[in-house]
Structures are given as C-alpha cells and as structure tokens.
Amino acid sequence: QSTEKAAWMPYTRFDNNSFYSRHYIIKDSKVSQISPFQIFSSDLLYEAITFIEDYCYQDLKKQISFRMNMLDDDLDNDWIKSGCSELIEQDEIFIVKSNSLDVYFKPYSVTAYAFGDFIVSIPFYELNKWLNKGENSCYTKLHDFDSEFEG
C-alpha cells in the first residue's frame, strides 16, 4: 500500500510564438505524464470538448472585441471559430488549475498577431457534469493535492 500522496504538477513554457504544457502525477516517487483531458469522464470527453470549444468561441469574441475596441459584428468570427475548433488535438494548450481549466491561444490563432495571445479560463463549475469525480480519478487527485495546501 502506498504511503505517499499523489501530487499534480503542470509544466508550462510560454514565449511570444508558442505555448507548451504538460501535466504530471507524482506518486510513490514515480512520475507519470497525463493528458489534461483525463479530468473528464472518458465516455463524456467529446461532449466536454464540444462545450469547451463553444465556451472559448463565446469568450474570445468578448475579449477580442474589447481589446480591439470593436463591435461583435466587425469581428472575423470565422477566424475565431477556426481557432477554437479541434481542440482535442491540441492538449498542449490546456492548463488544469485548482479551480479551472485554462486554454491558451497563441498570437495569430484567433485574430491578428498584433493583439497577442489570449487565455480563456473555464471554471470547473461550468464543466461539472463532464468531470470524472471517481475515487482514483485525476480530477479527484488534483483536489486532494490542493486541499493539503489549503488546510
């Protein structure tokens, strides 16, 4: 039986042109790389991704509109929609935090390079129905690990 607790450790590297993240679980002195999508129930993953893509699209429209001082009608919605599609193939742009899932969009992925990168933070309460909250799930381990430091 293990006496060590599991630790959740995201690793990120970010510069002006790229973003790279990896997630690790450390347990019994062994490090295992995991996908950020492992916080979701496997049978609900594609439904969760569809929600995430739409959430990102809606949030990015607001962020870009604000940053560019434009109305929604003046945005290139196709560009934004394209940047939010097929996110399941881009797990390196996700960061699992203690209360949210953050999605990073590098410059030029959703709008002109001059407007920089964008981050969409999706609170877990928005993702609740797709999270895997089983006893040994990644999501549960994340929250067990975080609660050790809070109390």
Side-chain angles (χ1 to χ4, degrees):
Q1 175 128 6
S2 168
T3 56
E4 293 184 58
K5 299 233 181 213
W8 178 275
M9 188 175 83
Y11 163 79
T12 59
R13 188 192 68 194
F14 184 69
D15 61 36
N16 200 31
N17 296 310
S18 64
F19 180 82
Y20 172 86
S21 76
R22 291 290 176 252
H23 294 80
Y24 300 93
I25 291 264
I26 304 168
K27 185 174 182 175
D28 297 328
S29 302
K30 295 177 187 167
V31 178
S32 301
Q33 183 176 333
I34 61 166
S35 164
F37 301 135
Q38 287 179 265
I39 64 170
F40 300 109
S41 296
S42 58
D43 58 330
L44 300 174
L45 176 60
Y46 286 98
E47 190 178 317
I49 294 297
T50 299
F51 173 83
I52 291 166
E53 289 174 350
D54 185 60
Y55 190 99
C56 288
Y57 174 69
Q58 298 301 329
D59 190 73
L60 284 166
K61 285 191 341 181
K62 294 174 193 170
Q63 288 188 50
I64 294 167
S65 179
F66 178 77
R67 224 182 261 190
M68 295 172 78
N69 198 23
M70 299 174 92
L71 298 174
D72 278 0
D73 296 340
D74 297 329
L75 298 176
D76 187 340
N77 289 314
D78 290 338
W79 193 351
I80 300 167
K81 188 68 123 176
S82 175
C84 294
S85 66
E86 300 184 21
L87 293 181
I88 195 158
E89 297 174 9
Q90 305 177 58
D91 69 345
E92 73 278 357
I93 66 169
F94 290 87
I95 292 290
V96 178
K97 294 188 171 178
S98 60
N99 294 310
S100 66
L101 179 69
D102 287 1
V103 187
Y104 287 71
F105 294 89
K106 64 184 178 183
Y108 205 70
S109 63
V110 291
T111 194
Y113 185 88
F115 294 100
D117 58 296
F118 291 85
I119 301 168
V120 175
S121 187
I122 308 170
F124 281 144
Y125 63 79
E126 294 283 0
L127 299 166
N128 189 46
K129 69 180 180 179
W130 300 289
L131 295 172
N132 180 354
K133 297 180 185 174
E135 184 177 338
N136 290 315
S137 72
C138 289
Y139 176 78
T140 301
K141 289 176 184 176
L142 167 68
H143 280 276
D144 288 349
F145 178 68
D146 283 341
S147 64
E148 279 186 43
F149 291 99
E150 291 173 0

